[in-house]
């Protein structure tokens, strides 16, 4: 079974306030980094959710593990140095960056 867009959106809407509450201090210290994280998460959440759903939908603790993954991603993003965040944004604009002879 494949989740619907409505299920994906509802899951996102359910988890994000919990993340915002959990990381409120870090978010207030790094509002720009949080904004970038949220923009990227909104774009990548549907395929991530689909993959997790295919693997773990039958488990009773599916949402716990999904939320835990997102919390880890948020924590690591907010702790990531600004220069590496900028590099990530540059690479996001060029999806084939890893094929460059600059590597």
């Amino acid at each position: 079974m494949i989740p619907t867009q409505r299920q994906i959106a509802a899951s996102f809407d359910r988890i994000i306030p919990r993340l915002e509450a959990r990381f409120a201090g870090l978010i207030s210290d790094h509002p720009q980094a949080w904004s970038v994280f949220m923009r990227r998460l909104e774009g990548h959440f549907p395929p991530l959710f689909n993959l997790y759903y295919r693997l773990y939908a039958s488990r009773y603790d599916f949402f716990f593990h999904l939320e835990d993954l997102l919390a880890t991603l948020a924590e690591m993003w907010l702790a990531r140095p600004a220069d590496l965040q900028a590099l990530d944004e540059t690479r996001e604009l060029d999806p084939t960056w890893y094929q460059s002879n600059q590597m």
Side-chain angles (χ1 to χ4, degrees), residues 4 7 38-39 44-45 47-48 56 65 68 73 88 96:
T4 65
Q7 289 171 312
M38 286 302 300
R39 178 184 52 78
H44 294 286
F45 185 78
L48 174 67
Y56 304 116
H65 289 291
D68 189 54
L73 292 172
D88 292 340
T96 60

Side-chain angles (χ1 to χ4, degrees), residues 1 3 10 18 26-27 40 44 48-49 57 61 67 76-77 83 89 93 95 98:
M1 178 185 224
R18 294 173 55 86
L26 286 172
I27 292 169
R40 293 181 74 188
H44 294 286
L48 174 67
F49 185 91
D61 55 355
E67 183 179 339
M76 294 298 106
W77 177 258
D83 60 327
E89 286 199 60
L93 297 174
Y98 62 90

Side-chain angles (χ1 to χ4, degrees), residues 2-97:
I2 298 173
T4 65
Q5 289 300 101
R6 184 175 174 175
Q7 289 171 312
I8 294 169
S11 298
F12 185 83
D13 292 344
R14 180 174 140 189
I15 292 173
I16 294 307
R18 294 173 55 86
L19 290 179
E20 290 173 336
R22 182 172 176 174
F23 295 107
L26 286 172
I27 292 169
S28 66
D29 291 344
H30 308 284
Q32 179 62 28
W34 181 255
S35 176
V36 171
F37 175 77
M38 286 302 300
R39 178 184 52 78
R40 293 181 74 188
L41 181 59
E42 287 171 0
H44 294 286
F45 185 78
L48 174 67
F49 185 91
N50 279 317
L51 289 170
Y52 245 59
Y53 191 86
R54 286 176 37 204
L55 291 171
Y56 304 116
S58 64
R59 294 185 51 105
Y60 72 94
D61 55 355
F62 168 76
F63 282 101
F64 169 80
H65 289 291
L66 180 62
E67 183 179 339
D68 189 54
L69 171 66
L70 296 180
T72 300
L73 292 172
E75 184 177 9
M76 294 298 106
W77 177 258
L78 292 170
R80 193 162 172 78
D83 60 327
L84 293 180
Q85 289 180 6
L87 179 61
D88 292 340
E89 286 199 60
T90 302
R91 288 178 172 170
E92 191 173 18
L93 297 174
D94 180 16
T96 60
W97 65 268

